[in-house]
Amino acid sequence: MALAAAPLTATPLAAAHPGFLSPTGVEIAFLLVGLVTFGAAVITVTTKQLVHAALWLVVALGGLAVEYLLLTAEFIAWVQVLIYVGSVVVLLLFGLMLTKAPIGRSPDADSENRWIALAVALTAAVALVWVVVDAFRTTWIELDGPAQGSTEVSGQFLFRHWVLPFEALSVLLLAALIGAIVLSRKSDAPGSPRGKEQR
């Protein structure tokens, strides 16, 4: 009698905890958005038009923001939108406009080293995955405390451990913007060929 009653008590537990073969709507959305993000990233590095590459980069970074939202990390998602989509990509497009980059197809953007680039990219991806898996192999997420992607946890972690890299990155982005302005002004100088043409 006890053996016959065991499956009856296990059925509600199995229904409460769906397995790998019964994904939820959030998991399906996460997979679909991940595929779109991956496709946008591939197009970003394979297109020969610089402006199109920047716009596809917006799609890829926006897809990452949606993935963060699906992981209930709202603060990280908005940081992704504000900093990467709203600042880095705009800075990239601004630099393209200031340096008079070609708008149409750019054959010069292809160096015919695709196989070498693919090998380097795969090696970097394998190394990155191995480092992340090895670093977080024994890391456990505490579910009783605040959510890991919340503003409180992210702010404490950022301002305790990553203040200096964060500020260094902001200075680097500012230097890139100033460099783009300097390059554009040099091309318009009176002694340059472009300046002579304008005369």
Side-chain angles (χ1 to χ4, degrees), residues 27-111:
E27 293 172 346
I28 295 174
F30 187 89
L31 178 62
L32 294 177
V33 174
L35 292 175
V36 172
T37 304
F38 178 76
V42 170
I43 296 175
T44 300
V45 298
T46 55
T47 183
K48 293 184 179 181
Q49 299 186 3
L50 295 178
V51 177
H52 288 183
L55 295 177
W56 279 110
L57 182 61
V58 172
V59 177
L61 295 176
L64 287 178
V66 175
E67 299 283 51
Y68 286 133
L69 281 177
L70 294 175
L71 291 173
T72 66
E74 293 85 1
F75 176 73
I76 306 297
W78 287 116
V79 167
Q80 174 81 12
V81 171
L82 292 176
I83 294 181
Y84 286 96
V85 178
S87 299
V88 174
V89 176
V90 170
L91 179 64
L92 178 62
L93 291 173
F94 191 50
L96 289 176
M97 289 186 295
L98 284 176
T99 55
K100 310 291 190 301
I103 302 299
R105 297 185 65 85
S106 304
D108 296 338
D110 189 0
S111 62

Side-chain angles (χ1 to χ4, degrees), residues 110-132:
D110 189 0
S111 62
E112 302 297 337
N113 293 324
R114 294 185 178 181
W115 294 110
I116 298 176
L118 180 61
V120 172
L122 290 177
T123 304
V126 170
L128 181 62
V129 170
W130 181 79
V131 168
V132 171

Side-chain angles (χ1 to χ4, degrees), residues 6-18:
L8 295 177
T9 57
T11 303
L13 294 176
H17 300 284

Side-chain angles (χ1 to χ4, degrees), residues 102-161:
I103 302 299
R105 297 185 65 85
S106 304
D108 296 338
D110 189 0
S111 62
E112 302 297 337
N113 293 324
R114 294 185 178 181
W115 294 110
I116 298 176
L118 180 61
V120 172
L122 290 177
T123 304
V126 170
L128 181 62
V129 170
W130 181 79
V131 168
V132 171
V133 170
D134 184 67
F136 294 97
R137 183 177 299 163
T138 58
T139 302
W140 297 90
I141 298 176
E142 186 178 351
L143 299 178
D144 296 333
Q148 294 297 313
S150 64
T151 308
E152 178 183 358
V153 176
S154 301
Q156 290 178 356
F157 192 76
L158 176 65
F159 290 106
R160 282 182 183 175
H161 306 286

